[in-house]
Amino acid sequence: MELKFSTTKKERLDEFLRRELPDHVDGAAGQLSNSKIRRLILSGSVFVNGRECRRPAFEIRGLTKITVNFESEKFFYEKQPDDIDFVMTDSDVLFEDENLIFVNKPAFLPVEQTITGNRKNLHDVVVDYLWKRNPGLRNPPYVGIMHRLDRETSGVILFTKNRSANKAVHDMFEGHSFTKTYIAVCQKPEGGLAGDAGAGRGHFSARKIGDSFTVEMYMNRVSKKSEAGKWGRLSEKEGGLYSKTEFKIRGDYTYRGKSYFVVECNLFTGRTHQIRVHLASLGMPLLGDQLYGGDRADRIYLHAARLACEEGDLKFDVRSEFTLLG
């Protein structure tokens, strides 16, 4: 969520946030230590008068507007996973032009820096890669984050290389004027797929390769801010946001002696954990997704396979193959 403040008081940025944030964030009382405030600022989540500020000791003077991009899940519940040590090469670039770069993201790597600080992340890796290609630059090249993939999700991710491209890409995501396809490996429902997949769509019986089905529901976060983020079905009155995914069973996959479905997922909306929640609601949780009832595995088996657009100057069709390991 985005929090906005204004002040005319002269004081340090970290001291201001230490005082003001608890009144605006549920569950923050007693948990906003100086070190957490410092990491929040160093992660690039705080903006002073519209400019990113990574200096905890920055002195506020005069009329000042402060914006904080506050993600409760990262702030209150951030474990320390073992991220991979990924060094990007030319083979990891799926497509590139003067404004955009599409990267084949590996699993086990967060997209951006988090409040824990000094954590390997894909954004920094892309910056380093572009800088090494242009060593004459005095400052790091610009790389804009336009969307995100979960840490364990692999596949196509898009970054901008020029700020001038940000609006068009932002409008593309906001207007859903693109094709976004994932490949998931999920459990086979007992007795075939049967359940209420959405708003009055009745029952389904997808149980073989080639079967298609659609899930529509209103959903939002259902866990406490002090716990791992978990999303689920909530009515519109309860704050649920509309979500829709079309699925098609593409094949079978055997993992540790058990058979699973390989499912193509086409997103019409982009809610947090959307595919994971939609499939779990039908008794088909992703392999490795224990948060939503999936079998234990070496990772969550979800891969961003395609991102395509034919909107104005944005014309691309970028794909990444999902290699299944037995």
Side-chain angles (χ1 to χ4, degrees):
M1 61 179 169
E2 187 176 81
L3 302 175
K4 295 185 177 181
F5 306 90
S6 62
T7 181
T8 57
K9 188 175 181 180
K10 181 179 178 181
E11 63 181 318
R12 284 170 50 125
L13 178 61
D14 54 357
E15 293 174 351
F16 172 84
L17 294 177
R18 181 80 168 84
R19 185 183 71 252
E20 294 292 333
L21 278 180
D23 292 335
H24 294 81
V25 178
D26 293 339
Q31 297 196 51
L32 294 177
S33 63
N34 291 335
S35 60
K36 278 198 171 183
I37 292 294
R38 176 179 174 81
R39 290 199 300 269
L40 181 69
I41 297 170
L42 292 175
S43 71
S45 299
V46 180
F47 296 79
V48 176
N49 291 329
R51 293 188 176 185
E52 182 183 287
C53 182
R54 295 180 183 244
R55 292 173 52 202
F58 179 83
E59 190 173 81
I60 301 170
R61 296 182 179 182
L63 179 60
T64 305
K65 294 183 178 180
I66 299 169
T67 303
V68 181
N69 291 327
F70 192 93
E71 297 185 49
S72 298
E73 180 179 356
K74 292 182 178 180
F75 197 88
F76 293 123
Y77 188 93
E78 183 160 21
K79 57 184 179 180
Q80 297 286 335
D82 294 325
D83 301 320
I84 63 169
D85 187 13
F86 176 59
V87 178
M88 188 169 156
T89 65
D90 292 347
S91 63
D92 300 305
V93 179
L94 298 169
F95 175 76
E96 183 180 5
D97 61 20
E98 62 180 2
N99 295 313
L100 310 174
I101 181 169
F102 295 78
V103 177
N104 199 17
K105 177 189 175 299
F108 302 108
L109 186 68
V111 170
E112 60 184 324
Q113 187 57 266
T114 63
I115 64 171
T116 56
N118 300 319
R119 186 173 171 187
K120 193 81 171 181
N121 65 89
L122 185 60
H123 177 259
D124 288 350
V125 170
V126 176
V127 171
D128 290 342
Y129 169 79
L130 293 176
W131 205 353
K132 287 177 182 177
R133 286 197 335 196
N134 298 277
L137 295 176
R138 296 183 59 184
N139 298 309
Y142 173 78
V143 174
I145 300 174
M146 305 308 297
H147 67 126
R148 291 160 179 80
L149 298 176
D150 290 343
R151 173 181 173 269
E152 290 188 41
T153 302
S154 55
V156 181
I157 187 167
L158 161 65
F159 297 95
T160 56
K161 299 195 299 182
N162 297 295
R163 288 183 174 84
S164 60
N166 287 354
K167 185 180 186 307
V169 175
H170 175 268
D171 291 347
M172 176 193 77
F173 282 114
E174 286 293 308
H176 306 289
S177 56
F178 60 91
T179 299
K180 195 172 188 180
T181 303
Y182 287 76
I183 298 296
V185 178
C186 62
Q187 292 176 209
K188 294 183 177 181
E190 296 182 6
L193 176 58
D196 181 7
R201 287 189 171 266
H203 294 271
F204 296 77
S205 58
R207 57 180 72 191
K208 65 182 185 299
I209 296 173
D211 284 349
S212 299
F213 52 99
T214 299
V215 177
E216 295 178 86
M217 69 166 66
Y218 287 89
M219 58 177 288
N220 211 322
R221 183 174 179 137
V222 294
S223 61
K224 298 178 182 178
K225 289 184 170 64
S226 58
E227 299 174 350
K230 186 175 183 180
W231 276 253
R233 186 191 299 270
L234 284 178
S235 69
E236 191 173 9
K237 290 183 178 180
E238 294 173 314
L241 302 173
Y242 175 74
S243 60
K244 178 182 177 181
T245 314
E246 286 188 352
F247 299 96
K248 186 168 186 176
I249 300 175
R250 290 296 189 184
D252 288 315
Y253 174 63
T254 300
Y255 181 83
R256 295 178 180 172
K258 184 175 179 179
S259 182
Y260 296 85
F261 277 143
V262 177
V263 179
E264 178 182 299
C265 320
N266 287 291
L267 294 179
F268 287 81
T269 54
R271 308 305 179 195
T272 301
H273 292 189
Q274 178 173 315
I275 292 173
R276 299 165 66 180
V277 171
H278 283 187
L279 287 173
S281 73
L282 299 174
M284 302 174 67
L286 297 182
L287 174 60
D289 192 4
Q290 292 181 271
L291 181 64
Y292 292 100
D295 290 339
R296 183 184 296 274
D298 54 352
R299 62 168 286 195
I300 295 176
Y301 276 62
L302 184 63
H303 180 80
R306 183 188 181 201
L307 184 59
C309 182
E310 286 285 339
E311 184 76 13
D313 294 331
L314 294 177
K315 300 183 185 301
F316 54 79
D317 189 341
V318 183
R319 308 182 186 218
S320 170
E321 182 179 353
F322 188 22
T323 302
L324 292 169
L325 302 174

